[in-house]
Amino acid sequence: MLKKRYGTVHEVERGRQWRWEIPEWNKKRGIPNAKIMDSDLMTTSAGVDFHFHLVVEKEGMDEIVGFYIHHKKAGIPKYTYALGSTKGRVACQYTAHSVPADCKRCGHRRIANNRDLLQVINDAQTDTCVLWFQLDEDVVQNTNNTGELIWTIPRFSQIRIGPFYSKSFPRAGYSDMCAMKIKVDPNKRANVILSVSQTSRKRIPCWIKCCTLDGTVLFESETAFSPGRWPSIRYSQLTKLGRDGALVVYVRYVKEKIKEEKAVVSSVAHILPPPGERFRDDADGRFNLMVGDMEADDIEFSDCSGDDTNAEYR
């Protein structure tokens, strides 16, 4: 029996970016238990087929939306996705920064209340839910300096910051895991906030510096930033990147000036970062897994065996 597929998937960038449109979203209301909607198959640039599951599940008086990905081969790349309307308005955005290396299926059980999603969809007056999905290109790598890492984000001006995370990584000399994060400053919308999330309860201040790929400094902290007091930087200041368009973010966990590492920066784009695990979001102190603004109890990995028993990126 063929699996029913919902909506239409448009490939925005070959093998890396897609937009899934699901019409008549209001008809998904009043579901007694759970409604699973599967997308058509897509193919990554590495030649691996995959597809999406969206789940609308009744919880008391609420309808909770979940999102899952079924990748036909173990080793799901880091990805970012957002749910919203045909007008480009976004209800929520998440980054899967800690997918286990042996996983073929993973996802998030609670990404949005359908009531909030419907408000965004109804404002567009099209009754179509849109999911933007991209396989991320950013990488994280240690430098030659102890306790220092660099996060390279290609085509920085094209990413949606809502928020956007690096892949998780182990901090040198410590047992905890970390991830770098960039989000819009809620108090100053023309600015973005750079921060570091970590699993350890012991928060360690760090230096932050932003550069172009050739080493031109766009921002450098004068003092070490403590968790909860991260720098707010004008977004326009970080987009003066030159022809390559890549932003390089240095983070150092030691109390000394960050040195120039031009040779390391230029070689980062070809190095894959290691896998990670749970995070403590420095904004509110809650533990998080895979994404930044949801509690761990609300997020889950589905069966990694690969048995399919269940059936404005522009």
Side-chain angles (χ1 to χ4, degrees), residues 17-70:
Q17 207 172 81
W18 296 265
R19 186 177 70 252
W20 182 21
E21 297 182 357
I22 307 173
E24 300 182 327
W25 185 257
N26 274 281
K27 290 186 178 180
K28 310 299 185 293
R29 303 182 66 179
I31 299 165
N33 294 309
K35 179 71 173 182
I36 300 175
M37 289 161 280
D38 295 296
S39 73
D40 287 325
L41 287 174
M42 294 152 283
T43 304
T44 70
S45 57
V48 181
D49 290 340
F50 72 102
H51 68 278
F52 306 136
H53 305 291
L54 262 184
V55 180
V56 182
E57 188 173 5
K58 195 81 171 177
E59 289 190 10
M61 299 298 293
D62 293 322
E63 295 164 351
I64 304 302
V65 181
F67 174 75
Y68 300 85
I69 177 174
H70 185 180

Side-chain angles (χ1 to χ4, degrees), residues 144-158:
N144 296 325
N145 297 322
T146 301
E148 182 177 283
L149 299 105
I150 47 179
W151 179 22
T152 302
I153 310 172
R155 300 191 283 184
F156 173 72
S157 62
Q158 297 180 27

Side-chain angles (χ1 to χ4, degrees), residues 103-229:
C103 203
K104 293 182 180 178
R105 296 170 60 203
C106 69
H108 309 94
R109 183 168 59 89
R110 300 169 61 89
I111 63 171
N113 189 309
N114 197 30
R115 179 182 60 249
D116 299 326
L117 179 57
L118 281 169
Q119 183 176 345
V120 172
I121 292 171
N122 291 339
D123 285 348
Q125 299 181 338
T126 59
D127 199 20
T128 297
C129 178
V130 179
L131 185 141
W132 296 272
F133 180 93
Q134 73 171 28
L135 300 175
D136 295 329
E137 300 176 302
D138 59 299
V139 292
V140 175
Q141 174 62 24
N142 291 307
T143 72
N144 296 325
N145 297 322
T146 301
E148 182 177 283
L149 299 105
I150 47 179
W151 179 22
T152 302
I153 310 172
R155 300 191 283 184
F156 173 72
S157 62
Q158 297 180 27
I159 70 167
R160 186 189 295 274
I161 301 171
F164 185 76
Y165 282 80
S166 74
K167 194 175 179 76
S168 59
F169 55 88
R171 185 154 53 93
Y174 298 86
S175 60
D176 64 325
M177 301 296 298
C178 301
M180 286 174 259
K181 172 183 176 182
I182 183 167
K183 69 174 185 178
V184 176
D185 187 338
N187 299 315
K188 202 169 186 179
R189 304 293 291 181
N191 287 19
V192 294
I193 294 176
L194 274 167
S195 63
V196 181
S197 296
Q198 59 195 62
T199 55
S200 174
R201 293 181 179 274
K202 182 180 179 181
R203 313 302 177 82
I204 300 175
C206 59
W207 299 91
I208 293 177
K209 183 174 76 169
C210 301
C211 300
T212 63
L213 203 58
D214 65 4
T216 301
V217 177
L218 303 174
F219 169 84
E220 183 172 5
S221 57
E222 296 179 358
T223 59
F225 286 96
S226 298
R229 297 184 177 181

